[in-house]
Amino acid sequence: MTKTAARRPAEAIAVRPVRAPSPVGGRGRRRLADQLRAYGFLLGGLLCFAVFSWYPAIRAVVIAFQKYTPGSEPEWVGTANFTRVLHDPEFTAAWRNTLTFTLLALLIGFAIPFLLALVLNELRHAKAFFRVVVYLPVMIPPVVSALLWKWFYDPGAGLANEALRFAHLPTSNWSNGADTALVSLVIVATWANLGGTVLIYLAALQSIPGELYEAAELDGATLLQRVRHVTIPQTRFVVLMLMLLQIIATMQVFTEPFVITGGGPENATVTVLYLIYKYAFLYNDFGGACALSVMLLVLLGLFSAVYLRLTRSEGDA
């Protein structure tokens, strides 16, 4: 065998073209499987939203333009449901009570959690205990909480009036008085939702750099000045977000007027959501109930759009 012949196989191996790796290799298949698994989990959540949220919302919009009674064929009536609802005397009272409730909730239920968060943030001992105490009302079911406050507000042997008698102060009708019923419900809603708001504020306060407070103290700032010039500017985004979320939540108040006052006395606590309940389950007028729901949906959609816009702007910043 000659040297040329002996070198020929090696040369052939050396110049053999190398094949490019397949674009779908083991790593690509694993990535595809992970993506399909993730989309599978996402599909379950989307189906739940579609069945329990999106479909009822779309169905309500359709029924708002129909004369609909369960067991009968729906009849298209255009905007007749909206016209009838707008001329209902309870419509004005429901919207007035809802807006008043929202305003009072902002005045009472917005400042108190912020002040409590400031106090908890300044504590040096038993922080965990007081956090649990503040958050405890959130763990009580809303209906149970409302029933407790209904007994608490009892004008006869209720604990509220007993406390006033013990302090030698005049008693009140609380939820049984037309002038005091709505304020009484605001107190209940504030107490029931206090814990979550306080913890969010507390987390925002603890994220403020300590150097800012140290610099303010070196400049001779008092406690109120530190709160005004350091705390509030540093937490303004959280405050604004919680304000919008509170507006959206309080405009859907239902449990407190339903359980405690039943919309009374004299329609003083009838809210929009409670009026929707009355149209659907007391008047058997599902068209009017859905028309009211669409009005509320549009209004809350505007607040939700503002909330999403602000959160997106903060995220981009």
Side-chain angles (χ1 to χ4, degrees), residues 4-80:
T4 305
R7 287 196 304 266
R8 192 170 296 164
E11 293 173 354
I13 294 175
V15 299
R16 184 177 298 170
V18 180
R19 292 184 179 179
S22 175
V24 184
R27 184 179 300 176
R29 284 193 295 269
R30 285 195 300 271
R31 186 181 298 113
L32 179 61
D34 291 340
Q35 291 178 352
L36 291 177
R37 191 179 299 110
Y39 283 121
F41 283 112
L42 182 61
L43 181 62
L46 291 176
L47 287 176
C48 289
F49 273 105
V51 173
F52 298 107
S53 295
W54 298 335
Y55 173 75
I58 296 173
R59 183 64 173 158
V61 173
V62 174
I63 295 177
F65 297 94
Q66 294 177 337
K67 181 180 180 181
Y68 179 81
T69 303
S72 62
E73 190 69 22
E75 177 185 352
W76 288 94
V77 294
T79 59

Side-chain angles (χ1 to χ4, degrees), residues 146-155 157-160:
L147 289 173
L148 287 174
W149 279 91
K150 185 177 182 179
W151 168 79
F152 188 83
Y153 282 145
D154 186 273
L159 187 59

Side-chain angles (χ1 to χ4, degrees), residues 226-296:
R226 292 198 300 270
V227 171
R228 177 183 177 186
H229 297 289
V230 178
T231 304
I232 294 178
Q234 291 293 319
T235 59
R236 65 183 184 279
F237 176 73
V238 176
V239 169
L240 182 58
M241 292 302 99
L242 287 179
M243 182 182 296
L244 289 172
L245 290 175
Q246 185 169 348
I247 291 173
I248 294 172
T250 52
M251 292 197 70
Q252 301 177 74
V253 59
F254 173 76
T255 304
E256 289 81 7
F258 178 76
V259 176
I260 298 177
T261 62
E266 301 174 6
N267 288 336
T269 57
V270 172
T271 60
V272 175
L273 215 60
Y274 187 77
L275 186 59
I276 292 173
Y277 162 81
K278 292 179 68 174
Y279 266 93
F281 299 104
L282 298 183
Y283 307 153
N284 205 29
D285 184 0
F286 287 88
C290 290
L292 266 173
S293 301
V294 170
M295 295 179 190
L296 186 60

